[in-house]
Amino acid sequence: MPVTLVKERYSSKVGEVVLGATPEQGGTRTATVTVGGDSALPFLHFEGQTINRPVIAMEVTDVVPTWSDIITKQIGDVINDPAAWAKKCVDEFGADLIYLKFNGADPEGENRSPEDCARIVKEVLAAVGVPLVVEGCDDSAKNNEVITAIAEAATGENLLIGIAEQDNYKSIAAAAMVHKHTLIARSPLDINICKQLNILINEMGLPLNKIIIDPTVAGLGFGIEYVYSIMERARLGALANDKMLSMPIICTVGYEANRCKEAYASEEEFPGWGNLEDRGVLWEAVTASGVLQVGASILVMRNPAAVKLVQKNIADLMG
Amino acid sequence: MALTGLEIYKQLPKKNCGECGVPTCLAFAMALASGKAALDACPYVTEAAREALDSASAPPIKAIKFGKDSVLGDETVLFRHDKTFYHPTTLLIYVSDTLSDEELSAKLQEIKGLEFERVGLQYTIDGVAIVNDSNDAARFAKVAATVAESTDISLLLLSDNPEAVKAALAPLVARKPLIGAATADNYEAMVNLAKENSVPVIIKADGLDALNDLVEKAVALGYKEFVLDPGSRKTVETLANLTHLRRLAIKKKFRPFGYPVIAFTSNTEPLEEIMEATVYVAKYASAVVLKTSVKAHVLPLMTLRQNIYTDPQKPIQVEPTLHSVGNVNENSPLYITTNFSLTYYSVEGEVETSKIPSYILPIDTDGTSVLTAYAAGKFEPEKIAEAMVACGIADKVKHRNVIIPGYVAVISGKLAEVSGWKVVVGPRESSGIVSFSKSLS
């Protein structure tokens, strides 16, 4: 006997956000990338459409990062040159976006100037045709200076810039508005702050389709279940027409997963955990898989081997 | 899951005879729904209705137990934040009976190694799925016996041939294996075999409609210890089927699907296989059969399983007693943190990396993080000072310095006053401990 399946009818869907701009749109990207737009829970194609598959942004830093050898050896010599590194990510590793992080701007570190950062953004823009995600350093005052300079230098490119936080969002939101970029709104694993921050930014005049949520992910084994449930609730909220939770979500998977000891500790040190090479790849890839199941739209990743696995997983899930 | 009065009313004879002691059938239905009456009071209710109403009061997904403490099913929600997921996905390693004796022995060695310890938790593999790929009943029985001898974990005996399952099962009945699969072609023999030996059986059909039909036929044989396999082997189809089965069981109380579900991976590349399995662990599979048994592959999957099945209302905690990292001595520094497992192990990991033998004292904050505990008044100076006295740290070190998390710097004055120790404010994030520790000496 045929079974009557339960198909949910949702009143709304996740908002669509376009990243990048082609020459006709005032930018220089070869194509734009659209994220969001889902009208059902992730990958449930029987009751709604997943118009845009989740995309992967690969991380490129302005200074040589102190990542595990397993990752840096795959990147190779280009690790000294952000533009060449970004190009390799797109051409060889199949990155949909480049995530450019200016650790070198940190006043505690190299204290790179905003002009210098803007120059590097221009170089990366010239090297690749995909849209860019750009974040400054962890010092919020300096981050504002750096991002303001970058936003101005890349006017019209529709970068995805970050990070706006609850106690520091005004100058970066203004930079996004004036120079026509899209903004990352980050909240510390708290759906109420997430929603509140979106309201505050929207009240400044930035449209909802220019905002991307960063819920602050946690790595596998270190609290991923918290962000898992927060994202699941945000998706259910978006489908139930909560406009302030309807933005697509970005997850900094590479940063969080590779902070976990399981992703970098050697087999000699922890024989019980097995071979590091596969373990490190899976630690990042499984973290990504976890957030994909609850609606991540943009995954920021590091390990090229993990990127490849996640690309396959997304292809399997898109059917 | 309790039924509403209207749902019960539909099953009643609608005679309104009043013999049950209630004037109308609808009123009787309401009384049943609120538990004020028993169905036995109605002399006219049909057997079918009685069964429907009885089973409706059963849990939406039956608990199926097999092997060594494996429990499948018995779940009540679609989203873990609604309550919690109760029974972590049972992970079984696929062992084909086409393996040579040497290969089998190597595989069993590898399976035995699948025990892990991380952040104070133990993970172990749950079982082995012995699969009759050889189509040879004698070989199947022999491999099953060899596996059973080598390990005490749960067993799944998988063959389309009921005779092969019978041969393998006979000496292993005491281990209570899960058997399968009952299909449209063999279900009578397979289900009866399960019934005679009181073991659960997998019901496998191609698609949900066929599965529904087969479950009904199998139930008609008078047995209900089932695990379902909707037959799909592609990731996206299995995800859809797992979702449909869980939804129908919970939201519609659809009895034919009120059983746990088993999923089989199809990706042959081991890392891709693990990615596929993560989807099934997150989305409702009660058991997953995996081909890879490499430590580095299984650990990440088991970690995700543990995370997803953590009760959202009960944070995992560590013992709020004095812990030591490395070979501590009388000069070892003392770190204060909370007994929230994630917080504690973040600190412990960094302290370990610093290579300086140290004491860590997690304060009992009911498993909340530093700032949560502080905001809730569970990380007060008096409480910390008491814990310091209770753990006897004063006799273990000759210094009188205590390091507190940077986020609660505000309590340092008061803590110094009540404890008599010098309070050192540490970094805000545990990631700063390594560089901080260098400044200690």
Side-chain angles (χ1 to χ4, degrees):
Chain A
M1 224 176 63
V3 180
T4 311
L5 301 175
V6 183
K7 294 188 183 173
E8 301 289 349
R9 282 201 199 90
Y10 299 109
S11 56
S12 189
K13 55 188 179 182
V14 179
E16 274 188 288
V17 173
V18 178
L19 304 176
T22 58
E24 299 83 64
Q25 299 158 331
T28 62
R29 302 301 81 207
T30 48
T32 58
V33 168
T34 307
V35 292
D38 290 20
S39 52
L41 294 175
F43 311 112
L44 297 187
H45 308 295
F46 58 81
E47 65 187 8
Q49 280 187 298
T50 308
I51 308 168
N52 305 298
R53 71 166 169 83
V55 296
I56 298 176
M58 287 188 73
E59 185 168 351
V60 169
T61 59
D62 64 325
V63 285
V64 177
T66 53
W67 301 347
S68 129
D69 295 346
I70 289 175
I71 301 177
T72 53
K73 80 179 180 215
Q74 294 178 70
I75 295 165
D77 299 341
V78 294
I79 204 158
N80 294 303
D81 176 352
W85 178 359
K87 191 165 163 43
K88 186 166 183 179
C89 287
V90 175
D91 295 349
E92 272 185 44
F93 306 139
D96 300 297
L97 305 168
I98 292 298
Y99 170 93
L100 194 51
K101 172 90 174 138
F102 284 96
N103 292 325
D106 202 304
E108 305 271 302
E110 285 196 20
N111 201 13
R112 198 185 277 275
S113 72
E115 295 70 35
D116 213 12
C117 298
R119 177 183 54 78
I120 294 173
V121 170
K122 291 291 232 185
E123 284 171 14
V124 176
L125 281 168
V128 298
V130 302
L132 302 193
V133 186
V134 182
E135 285 186 12
C137 59
D138 296 337
D139 182 290
S140 52
K142 182 68 184 288
N143 186 54
N144 287 344
E145 279 179 49
V146 167
I147 294 296
T148 307
I150 290 171
E152 190 178 352
T155 299
E157 293 287 2
N158 189 14
L159 306 176
L160 176 57
I161 58 174
I163 308 164
E165 294 179 287
Q166 194 184 24
D167 50 6
N168 181 32
Y169 64 91
K170 286 186 180 151
S171 56
I172 191 165
M177 266 190 300
V178 173
H179 303 291
K180 303 199 164 33
H181 299 296
T182 304
L183 184 64
I184 299 173
R186 171 182 278 186
S187 44
L189 273 173
D190 185 322
I191 198 164
N192 298 314
I193 296 177
C194 168
K195 193 169 165 171
Q196 174 68 14
L197 177 58
N198 293 336
I199 293 170
L200 291 171
I201 292 170
N202 185 231
E203 278 176 354
M204 281 183 67
L206 195 67
L208 297 182
N209 68 356
K210 299 294 269 180
I211 302 173
I212 297 275
I213 291 173
D214 176 353
T216 311
V217 288
L220 176 63
F222 289 87
I224 193 175
E225 67 271 26
Y226 291 90
V227 70
Y228 185 94
S229 286
I230 284 171
M231 286 175 62
E232 202 159 46
R233 286 167 62 195
R235 168 59 67 96
L236 290 167
L239 296 175
N241 203 22
D242 184 338
K243 290 295 172 212
M244 292 301 162
L245 286 175
S246 296
M247 299 78 179
I249 296 177
I250 188 171
C251 295
T252 51
V253 166
Y255 170 73
E256 294 293 343
N258 288 292
R259 285 203 310 160
C260 304
K261 187 181 259 175
E262 288 82 351
Y264 63 79
S266 71
E267 188 173 7
E268 290 73 54
E269 210 179 333
F270 292 91
W273 291 353
N275 161 279
L276 171 61
E277 192 124 351
D278 283 356
R279 168 160 42 90
V281 170
L282 279 174
W283 215 263
E284 185 172 337
V286 171
T287 303
S289 169
V291 291
L292 277 174
Q293 282 307 313
V294 284
S297 289
I298 307 171
L299 300 164
V300 181
M301 299 186 64
R302 283 182 183 171
N303 190 328
V307 168
K308 192 163 163 249
L309 272 185
V310 174
Q311 284 165 340
K312 170 71 165 63
N313 188 240
I314 292 171
D316 283 351
L317 287 162
M318 290 302 289
Chain B
M1 178 100 37
L3 282 180
T4 64
L6 276 179
E7 284 165 318
I8 297 171
Y9 175 67
K10 286 179 198 159
Q11 307 275 351
L12 293 180
K14 304 184 187 67
K15 290 166 73 92
N16 296 328
C17 61
E19 285 180 46
C20 57
V22 180
T24 66
C25 286
L26 183 59
F28 180 56
M30 295 302 174
L32 284 172
S34 58
K36 287 179 192 138
L39 195 58
D40 293 340
C42 174
Y44 302 107
V45 68
T46 62
E47 267 313 303
R50 186 185 302 279
E51 181 140 313
L53 294 174
D54 276 351
S55 65
S57 61
I61 300 174
K62 193 169 163 55
I64 299 293
K65 296 177 183 164
F66 79 102
K68 188 192 180 198
D69 309 325
S70 294
V71 183
L72 311 182
D74 199 18
E75 299 291 343
T76 59
V77 292
L78 286 153
F79 305 111
R80 63 186 289 282
H81 61 254
D82 283 340
K83 193 162 175 92
T84 184
F85 293 165
Y86 291 97
H87 301 287
T89 313
T90 292
L91 298 175
L92 303 149
I93 304 292
Y94 188 113
V95 172
S96 172
D97 70 351
T98 56
L99 294 181
S100 70
D101 287 347
E102 297 81 62
E103 287 167 335
L104 177 62
S105 139
K107 184 79 177 172
L108 289 171
Q109 267 319 106
E110 195 169 63
I111 291 170
K112 277 189 185 175
L114 294 176
E115 287 188 3
F116 305 95
E117 195 186 337
R118 64 170 292 279
V119 299
L121 298 165
Q122 305 286 334
Y123 304 162
T124 49
I125 194 75
D126 306 290
V128 179
I130 303 137
V131 188
N132 184 205
D133 292 321
S134 70
N135 287 323
D136 174 348
R139 178 66 190 161
F140 183 57
K142 180 160 186 294
V143 171
T146 310
V147 173
E149 209 171 288
S150 135
T151 167
D152 68 344
I153 55 180
S154 300
L155 303 174
L156 160 60
L157 304 174
L158 204 58
S159 173
D160 288 339
N161 176 2
E163 288 306 315
V165 175
K166 192 172 182 176
L169 176 62
L172 300 175
V173 172
R175 294 278 293 267
K176 201 176 181 190
L178 171 62
I179 66 167
T183 61
D185 297 330
N186 72 12
Y187 79 92
E188 271 182 273
M190 200 70 91
V191 173
N192 282 323
L193 179 65
K195 187 177 170 185
E196 282 154 23
N197 292 287
S198 303
V199 295
V201 58
I202 296 173
I203 308 286
K204 179 187 175 186
D206 199 9
L208 299 179
D209 293 343
L211 186 62
N212 176 29
D213 291 343
L214 191 58
V215 170
E216 301 239 331
K217 284 186 197 163
V219 168
L221 298 173
Y223 199 57
K224 284 187 172 178
E225 292 289 305
F226 299 152
V227 175
L228 308 182
D229 175 0
S232 52
R233 293 297 180 262
K234 281 177 69 182
T235 313
V236 69
E237 286 166 10
T238 304
L239 170 64
N241 282 338
L242 284 163
T243 307
H244 286 311
L245 289 165
R246 173 71 73 99
R247 274 190 192 166
L248 280 163
I250 288 174
K251 301 184 87 162
K252 295 290 170 195
K253 297 153 209 150
F254 187 71
R255 298 315 299 174
F257 292 166
Y259 303 95
V261 185
I262 189 166
F264 294 82
T265 56
S266 55
N267 273 302
T268 48
E269 204 285 312
L271 272 62
E272 290 175 4
E273 188 199 9
I274 292 293
M275 294 299 284
E276 183 185 354
T278 58
V279 175
Y280 307 154
V281 165
K283 294 292 174 182
Y284 319 135
S286 286
V288 174
V289 177
L290 285 177
K291 293 182 202 81
T292 180
S293 47
V294 172
K295 273 179 184 247
H297 303 166
V298 179
L299 176 64
L301 182 64
M302 284 190 163
T303 306
L304 184 74
R305 172 181 73 168
Q306 188 266 321
N307 288 171
I308 300 272
Y309 279 83
T310 297
D311 186 343
Q313 293 159 59
K314 283 191 211 123
I316 300 179
Q317 306 178 22
V318 297
E319 279 290 306
T321 53
L322 189 65
H323 295 241
S324 53
V325 178
N327 287 319
V328 284
N329 58 45
E330 58 185 19
N331 296 316
S332 295
L334 169 67
Y335 292 90
I336 299 287
T337 185
T338 80
N339 74 330
F340 178 36
S341 167
L342 278 176
T343 303
Y344 174 80
Y345 282 101
S346 303
V347 172
E348 194 199 80
E350 296 298 330
V351 169
E352 219 169 31
T353 311
S354 78
K355 307 265 187 239
I356 299 175
S358 308
Y359 287 104
I360 307 175
L361 178 59
I363 305 297
D364 185 356
T365 58
D366 300 322
T368 52
S369 66
V370 170
L371 281 178
T372 313
Y374 177 68
K378 291 174 181 170
F379 206 60
E380 297 295 301
E382 292 81 2
K383 188 169 177 179
I384 297 171
E386 264 171 47
M388 285 167 62
V389 173
C391 75
I393 183 70
D395 300 331
K396 293 185 164 72
V397 293
K398 63 177 189 192
H399 66 79
R400 288 293 177 266
N401 298 323
V402 55
I403 304 158
I404 62 168
Y407 277 117
V408 290
V410 59
I411 66 169
S412 56
K414 182 76 180 167
L415 179 60
E417 192 184 316
V418 294
S419 68
W421 286 47
K422 181 175 172 231
V423 178
V424 181
V425 177
R428 289 182 158 208
E429 300 289 343
S430 60
S431 55
I433 286 178
V434 176
S435 58
F436 166 82
S437 68
K438 287 177 192 139
S439 68
L440 280 178
S441 50

